[in-house]
Amino acid sequence: NAGVTQTPKFQVLKTGQSMTLQCAQDMNHNSMYWYRQDPGMGLRLIYYSASEGTTDKGEVPNGYNVSRLNKREFSLRLESAAPSQTSVYFCASLLGLAATSTDTQYFGPGTRLTVL
Amino acid sequence: AQSVTQLDSHVSVSEGTPVLLRCNYSSSYSPSLFWYVQHPNKGLQLLLKYTSAATLVKGINGFEAEFKKSETSFHLTKPSAHMSDAAEYFCVVTQYSSASKIIFGSGTRLSIRP
């Protein structure tokens, strides 16, 4: 049982390049989330998926797209990377559907992205 | 609207002394409240959570937190700090019926002096 896994762990991009961050969970969770973490700002929600086949914008969605490929996998794509997207990205999952907020979130180890 | 404020960005204590990390929240509805811990270069891990059962919640590694509705607070405490407690701590509030409304505080970095 690996929990939540993320790839890659580190990535350096040049401005304008694209990339996809991968996330997978093996806990049969329904909801999945993408956050970015910047110093002094806590975690900010980029996109989330309340269930397989649905995605919704969070607090800071601009410049990102997501795909809920199946129940296990939720990817985050940067189409044209910008230096402002330099951050640590965390994927998380939660057992319940969007209507359930008392469940614990489980987090992946993070991806450190630098955009030059 | 709901929000969460962690009152200290950095707390430093000596090993063996008590720890207090402060968190205040605002929520239109009965909230669920969580504390997560993040060790350096790691993901976040649940310490404890309050979901309208007992107001004093015990978590892992000797931490506990008390939900005080009258003060809209959910402070995290530990009687005796250990070097391994050095980490970043996040207070989180969620609003029932909307798992998308998960709001993170800005974090408190806990340092432990030998």
Side-chain angles (χ1 to χ4, degrees):
Chain A
N1 188 336
V4 180
T5 57
Q6 292 182 236
T7 55
K9 285 189 167 52
F10 301 93
Q11 184 71 49
V12 178
L13 294 176
K14 294 181 180 178
T15 296
Q17 288 185 315
S18 62
M19 78 161 296
T20 300
L21 282 65
Q22 306 286 354
C23 173
Q25 51 89 11
D26 61 2
M27 297 174 283
N28 202 34
H29 284 177
N30 289 290
S31 303
M32 297 185 73
Y33 302 78
W34 275 107
Y35 293 94
R36 60 178 290 172
Q37 182 180 30
D38 301 293
M41 301 186 75
L43 272 71
R44 292 182 293 169
L45 182 64
I46 304 171
Y47 271 93
Y48 72 100
S49 171
S51 61
E52 185 179 355
T54 69
T55 61
D56 285 286
K57 295 178 180 179
E59 181 186 355
V60 288
N62 291 344
Y64 305 95
N65 285 300
V66 290
S67 296
R68 184 74 182 268
L69 304 168
N70 48 55
K71 193 171 186 179
R72 289 187 65 246
E73 298 172 290
F74 188 40
S75 62
L76 177 72
R77 183 161 178 83
L78 286 70
E79 291 291 352
S80 178
S84 60
Q85 294 179 304
T86 293
S87 188
V88 182
Y89 291 84
F90 287 99
C91 178
S93 71
L94 181 155
L95 177 61
L97 300 173
T100 306
S101 64
T102 59
D103 294 328
T104 300
Q105 281 186 305
Y106 291 83
F107 287 83
T111 295
R112 293 184 176 275
L113 175 67
T114 301
V115 183
L116 303 174
Chain B
Q2 60 186 33
S3 65
V4 59
T5 302
Q6 291 184 242
L7 297 163
D8 306 292
S9 60
H10 182 215
V11 170
S12 180
V13 303
S14 297
E15 189 175 20
T17 64
V19 175
L20 170 64
L21 305 183
R22 298 181 295 166
C23 173
N24 286 106
Y25 70 92
S26 75
S27 179
S28 304
Y29 303 92
S30 296
S32 295
L33 293 155
F34 302 74
W35 276 99
Y36 286 85
V37 60
Q38 183 183 28
H39 290 281
N41 300 313
K42 301 287 188 184
L44 280 72
Q45 178 188 14
L46 179 72
L47 266 182
L48 50 80
K49 67 179 179 181
Y50 166 77
T51 56
S52 77
T55 56
L56 182 62
V57 183
K58 294 188 184 298
I60 61 173
N61 301 333
F63 284 94
E64 62 182 38
E66 186 171 8
F67 173 71
K68 292 187 176 180
K69 187 174 182 179
S70 61
E71 298 176 11
T72 61
S73 69
F74 190 57
H75 300 334
L76 182 70
T77 61
K78 182 174 181 177
S80 177
H82 191 272
M83 295 301 291
S84 61
D85 295 329
E88 187 100 19
Y89 292 80
F90 292 94
C91 183
V92 178
V93 61
T94 70
Q95 181 174 317
Y96 181 74
S97 84
S98 181
S100 63
K101 302 289 186 189
I102 301 174
I103 307 298
F104 283 78
S106 56
T108 298
R109 182 164 62 91
L110 177 63
S111 300
I112 312 296
R113 301 187 300 271

